[in-house]
Amino acid sequence: MNSSPPSLSVHIKTFGCQMNEYDSGRILKILEPHGYCPALSYDDASVIILNTCSVRKKAEDKLYSELGRIKKMKKKRPDVILGVGGCVAQQEGTKLLKRFPYINFVFGTRSLARLPGILKRAEAGERNVDTEMNMPEDMYPLRPCSPQTSGVTAFVTIMQGCNNYCSYCIVPYVRGREWSRRPSEIKEEIKNLVDCGIREVTLLGQNVNSYGKTLMPMTTFPELLQDLNGIRGLERIRFTTSHPKDLSDELITCFKNIEKLASHIHLPLQSGSNRILKKMNRGYTIETYMKRIDLFRHADPEAAITSDIIVGFPGESEKDFNETVSVIEKTCFDDLFVFHYTDRPDTAASKLSGKIPYKTKLERLSLINKIQNAISIKNNQKLVKKTLSVLFEYPSKKGNNSIAGRTSSNKVVNCKGPVDLIGKTVPVKIEKANVHSLNGVLI
Ligand code: SAH
Ligand code: SF4
Ligand code: F3S
């Protein structure tokens, strides 16, 4: 163990979604002018920050196990300052300070700009909490500073919050009301990223279809895509997530007309039963969902479609579940993220009766995964012998002189090749299909 970490150094452990990863990067940027440098591990850090997720119970529990580990470490190094931020911090606020006496400060999802002050107070011995939910106008610097980014791909948050209130979801409570960043600011940030070598960006928002509604003058997500398409040196634009109820014709047309927009959409279905979709407050029926998928496939026949499913929502019968299975079999998604329902504090669904036993939820989850794996590999097998453009991103985890990248449709491709191809888009002939990846050769 390093007994004397640099006087001001921060190690951030990030849980949850890409938005949290993006926020962790911003926390480092916000603290840098105040003399804090990034630390590679807890042992090298004078400040530890846990950036937390609350979307499912398991995600929240990860914080509590991590706190157990840090408690032991703090016995040996009581001088280490410990902060908890992100979605669990927003949800629990002061309760965290009361329950865990070794936490020094707590900050919410819209408190990032105030972090230097919060941290200074904590270092002066004041245990403090900032979970104010104001609109985050001051969260982003007007002129984004040069990002310290290495790599080929980057996330860029374009909006905060969500107004949808799906009945199972904690996000609107912990991320607040919808709020969009200005297009000029997003563009400048992406130009900076491209100058640092980034070739692909993923635009982040809980519901990108609502982008621009809070801005004066108002703008739209398709207009933003059009604008970003003009950035020289940027090769691919992805986004997540689009809500099926708001997937507009204009956005579907972007997949035809916007050259840099990648051929992939993540369109969370959640359930294949209209009865359950209604209880989830999703705002669409299975028929309208299928219609949007048809239009999308028509606009971009090569595109991949992925989705999220929740099994075991309160009241989900065998019949409801079978309807979900049949939609999955009909739609042939390229990949699925399947979750078993868990209650989140204060959400409408947590108050519903008809909770499904854990064992049933797990059986349903594993059945869907089995069905989807068979579909995924079948979809991937259709790509064998085809030549696809792959943007290489990193040396392959498998080693043996391999590099890995993704197709425009977001399929991971492993292939033997030199590391100097990382950052380049090159044609690859696909030779083998796996469930979650492809193998190919350079041509
Ligand atoms: N804004 C995104 C979703 C973010 S949460 C969207 O609307 O698609 C990511 C996924 O977590 C959701 O799509 C849902 O499938 C899952 N999820 C959210 N709350 C959940 C809960 N209480 N239990 C289980 N899964 C949940
Ligand atoms: Fe949650 Fe629904 Fe908003 Fe997605 S759209 S973040 S699932 S409330
Ligand atoms: Fe989790 Fe918050 Fe993201 S709840 S999924 S970290 S928005």
Side-chain angles (χ1 to χ4, degrees), residues 15-17 19-20 52-55 87 170-171 174-175 206:
F15 304 88
C17 66
M19 214 170 257
N20 260 13
T52 61
C53 172
S54 174
V55 76
C87 296
I170 190 94
V171 171
V174 291
R175 288 270 169 184
Q206 299 298 350

Side-chain angles (χ1 to χ4, degrees), residues 265-439:
I265 196 162
H266 184 66
L267 205 61
L269 168 67
Q270 313 300 2
S271 169
S273 149
N274 280 335
R275 203 178 71 82
I276 296 294
L277 285 174
K278 194 155 184 224
K279 288 210 247 175
M280 286 177 163
N281 191 29
R282 287 292 282 176
Y284 54 85
T285 60
I286 197 63
E287 291 74 21
T288 51
Y289 182 92
M290 299 301 273
K291 205 156 167 222
R292 299 324 281 163
I293 294 255
D294 279 350
L295 284 173
F296 175 75
R297 285 206 164 123
H298 196 70
D300 189 350
E302 303 292 307
I305 304 176
T306 57
S307 196
D308 292 346
I309 297 285
I310 299 177
V311 293
F313 184 83
E316 185 189 66
S317 64
E318 273 300 310
K319 181 171 173 282
D320 295 316
F321 175 70
N322 289 335
E323 283 174 14
T324 302
V325 169
S326 99
V327 174
I328 291 169
E329 285 170 336
K330 222 177 352 189
T331 316
C332 290
F333 293 109
D334 287 84
D335 206 354
L336 268 186
F337 299 88
V338 192
F339 308 104
H340 65 84
Y341 170 84
T342 48
D343 279 341
R344 303 316 294 134
D346 302 325
T347 56
S350 68
K351 293 162 195 141
L352 292 176
S353 58
K355 295 282 154 60
I356 306 296
Y358 183 62
K359 192 167 161 274
T360 311
K361 289 196 278 190
L362 288 195
E363 281 165 6
R364 290 179 181 177
L365 184 135
S366 105
L367 182 61
I368 290 192
N369 276 332
K370 207 168 133 207
I371 293 168
Q372 181 57 40
N373 283 352
I375 297 173
S376 297
I377 194 143
K378 233 170 153 183
N379 280 341
N380 285 348
Q381 273 159 354
K382 288 186 198 143
L383 301 173
V384 172
K385 294 200 177 115
K386 284 201 173 164
T387 298
L388 304 174
S389 286
V390 176
L391 171 57
F392 283 105
E393 293 175 34
Y394 46 84
S396 165
K397 287 172 197 112
K398 296 194 174 97
N400 64 15
N401 301 324
S402 288
I403 48 177
R406 276 174 303 149
T407 63
S408 174
S409 59
N410 212 28
K411 309 261 178 186
V412 173
V413 180
N414 287 292
C415 145
K416 280 214 173 2
V419 283
D420 53 7
L421 283 185
I422 290 173
K424 306 219 163 63
T425 306
V426 289
V428 173
K429 187 164 179 209
I430 304 304
E431 293 206 309
K432 184 170 174 258
N434 312 303
V435 177
H436 294 294
S437 67
L438 301 164
N439 295 63

Side-chain angles (χ1 to χ4, degrees), residues 96-255:
L96 282 175
L97 278 196
K98 288 198 183 121
R99 204 172 139 196
F100 304 98
Y102 49 95
I103 295 180
N104 300 88
F105 66 98
V106 173
F107 63 103
T109 53
R110 295 197 174 187
S111 315
L112 267 54
R114 297 185 292 277
L115 201 51
I118 299 169
L119 187 48
K120 279 282 163 283
R121 286 197 290 282
E123 284 171 337
E126 183 195 335
R127 298 178 74 223
N128 67 116
V129 177
D130 180 334
T131 48
E132 226 160 279
M133 251 305 169
N134 46 0
M135 286 316 236
E137 273 83 2
D138 59 349
M139 262 182 50
Y140 299 89
L142 266 182
R143 290 185 58 81
C145 32
S146 245
Q148 297 145 333
T149 312
S150 62
V152 178
T153 63
F155 299 122
V156 175
T157 292
I158 61 164
M159 57 195 297
Q160 280 279 343
C162 183
N163 292 353
N164 280 322
Y165 291 94
C166 302
S167 64
Y168 50 80
C169 186
I170 190 94
V171 171
Y173 303 91
V174 291
R175 288 270 169 184
R177 307 288 293 167
E178 242 167 48
W179 176 89
S180 301
R181 292 177 72 189
R182 277 183 292 276
S184 55
E185 197 185 301
I186 295 169
K187 202 170 171 185
E188 192 171 342
E189 181 166 325
I190 296 178
K191 278 186 182 164
N192 284 340
L193 288 166
V194 171
D195 288 345
C196 297
I198 293 295
R199 295 289 164 259
E200 173 186 302
V201 291
T202 303
L203 309 175
L204 303 177
Q206 299 298 350
N207 178 17
V208 293
N209 304 85
S210 298
Y211 174 79
K213 285 189 184 153
T214 59
L215 288 167
M216 290 291 273
M218 248 171 62
T219 181
T220 65
F221 187 56
E223 278 167 359
L224 177 72
L225 288 175
Q226 193 69 59
D227 196 15
L228 301 180
N229 192 51
I231 297 178
R232 256 215 261 146
L234 180 65
E235 289 187 24
R236 274 189 196 156
I237 306 169
R238 301 186 184 279
F239 64 81
T240 194
T241 304
S242 167
H243 194 301
K245 81 173 159 55
D246 303 321
L247 176 59
S248 64
D249 292 347
E250 290 75 20
L251 185 53
I252 291 179
T253 308
C254 290
F255 285 87

